Amino acid sequence: MLSQLDKEIIRALQEGLPLVSRPFLALAEKLGIGEEELLAKVRDFVDRGVIRRFGAAVRHQDLGYVSNAMVVWQVPEERMEEVGRLMASFDEVSHCYQRPARLPDWPYNLFTVVHGQTPQDCREIAARLSRASGVANYRLLFSIAELKKSSMKYFVEK
């Protein structure tokens, strides 16, 4: 169970760490608590799995990765766990989800998102995934425009 302070800390953390020499001190001051108390709470969140990780969010387009594709795969149900774990292990795969197929028109039940500098990069990544997994029935759906991209935010007041 999360306390009101826990929720306030999570709300503050999901806005990102300030780019200062002591970001947790800055956040603690904003929350009206001590830096050590905040760090203890964060350690507790990590230990309990409430926080999975800290990371930098970059705009992949600004780094030259301007092509991305959702690759949809038709995976036999009995191989789903194996294939899903294999594909998720590739650094080029940023998302990997199992979803129900919609037969007969949509047989695809595993979805991965790959990024490259060109559409050909994405095609080559998909081909490597296919060779590694032995799954040959797949399609690439390239993004045309980014209409929204954000992370889910929790405990946001409305």
Side-chain angles (χ1 to χ4, degrees):
M1 187 69 166
L2 298 173
S3 69
Q4 186 59 36
L5 176 59
D6 293 340
K7 293 176 184 177
E8 289 175 24
I9 291 170
I10 291 169
R11 188 179 307 125
L13 288 171
Q14 63 193 1
E15 293 301 320
L17 295 175
L19 297 176
V20 297
S21 62
R22 294 178 65 185
F24 290 100
L25 175 61
L27 274 183
E29 289 173 348
K30 186 176 175 184
L31 291 164
I33 61 176
E35 182 182 27
E36 283 305 314
E37 182 181 4
L38 174 59
L39 289 169
K41 286 281 192 184
V42 170
R43 279 188 210 102
D44 179 59
F45 291 158
V46 171
D47 290 345
R48 292 189 295 142
V50 173
I51 292 177
R52 190 172 37 153
R53 65 182 178 87
F54 284 92
V58 298
R59 295 191 152 282
H60 57 86
Q61 296 93 341
D62 293 347
L63 301 177
Y65 289 84
V66 295
S67 185
N68 64 70
M70 177 178 288
V71 189
V72 294
W73 307 84
Q74 183 179 11
V75 177
E77 288 298 325
E78 65 274 11
R79 293 196 59 215
M80 182 59 71
E81 183 76 21
E82 164 212 347
V83 172
R85 289 188 186 281
L86 174 73
M87 290 190 180
S89 73
F90 278 69
D91 289 340
E92 298 92 337
V93 173
S94 64
H95 298 73
C96 184
Y97 296 102
Q98 177 184 3
R99 295 192 168 129
R102 299 285 185 228
L103 298 173
D105 298 326
W106 188 259
Y108 308 105
N109 54 1
L110 185 69
F111 296 67
T112 57
V113 177
V114 300
H115 304 269
Q117 294 180 320
T118 66
Q120 185 58 32
D121 289 345
C122 294
R123 288 184 191 95
E124 290 171 10
I125 293 166
R128 277 192 285 123
L129 290 167
S130 176
R131 283 191 301 273
S133 65
V135 177
N137 189 11
Y138 65 94
R139 298 177 73 182
L140 283 85
L141 308 171
F142 286 96
S143 297
I144 296 170
E146 183 178 289
L147 304 175
K148 179 182 181 183
K149 184 171 188 170
S150 65
S151 297
M152 183 64 194
K153 302 222 172 167
Y154 302 95
F155 309 119
V156 177
E157 295 177 9
K158 294 188 178 199

